[in-house]
Amino acid sequence: MELVIAIFIGLLYACGVYLLLRRSIVKLILGVFVISNATNLIIFLSGGITRSGVSFIDPEAEKATLETMTDPLPQALILTAIVIGLGIAAYILALKYKYFETTGTHDLDQLSKTDQK
């Protein structure tokens, strides 16, 4: 299962880099979002994937060992990253709106035509 997720993460990074290299600012923003989600999946994968693994030790349960437990730290980091990512997404979209309002284009190559001389 980890191999399938690792391949999927690699594909997400490839798609994100491809979108970052496009000329449209909309595709650039989408590339940042895709790379952010791929990074969240890497952090999630680092915590380990175990079926029905608990994140805490029950004092009365004798069955819970370190091998069957999942690490709660990556899950907490991902939740924090999701919240921060949503804030950054709102900020980037507001900047994109003002950018289009000012320049009238989405193409980054046409931005040099808007310079004042």
Side-chain angles (χ1 to χ4, degrees):
M1 185 66 177
E2 286 92 359
L3 180 64
V4 173
I5 295 175
I7 291 171
F8 181 68
I9 291 170
L11 287 172
L12 279 177
Y13 270 113
C15 291
V17 169
Y18 176 77
L19 288 171
L20 283 176
L21 296 176
R22 299 290 91 198
R23 294 189 314 192
S24 173
I25 194 160
V26 175
K27 291 178 184 175
L28 180 102
I29 292 170
L30 288 175
V32 170
F33 294 158
V34 169
I35 287 178
S36 171
N37 286 329
T39 305
N40 287 342
L41 282 174
I42 282 181
I43 295 171
F44 180 71
L45 191 61
S46 72
I49 298 176
T50 55
R51 186 177 292 260
S52 71
V54 295
S55 298
F56 58 90
I57 298 176
D58 188 11
E60 297 166 2
E62 300 172 8
K63 199 175 184 184
T65 62
L66 289 176
E67 289 80 28
T68 61
M69 290 177 49
T70 58
D71 191 10
L73 183 63
Q75 296 172 9
L77 289 174
I78 290 170
L79 285 175
T80 305
I82 289 171
V83 171
I84 292 170
L86 287 173
I88 290 173
Y91 181 69
I92 287 177
L93 290 174
L95 284 177
K96 188 249 174 249
Y97 176 74
K98 290 303 274 184
Y99 169 81
F100 181 74
E101 196 175 82
T102 303
T103 62
T105 183
H106 295 289
D107 194 359
L108 292 174
D109 285 342
Q110 293 179 359
L111 186 61
S112 62
K113 297 177 184 174
T114 61
D115 289 339
Q116 300 288 330
K117 292 185 180 183

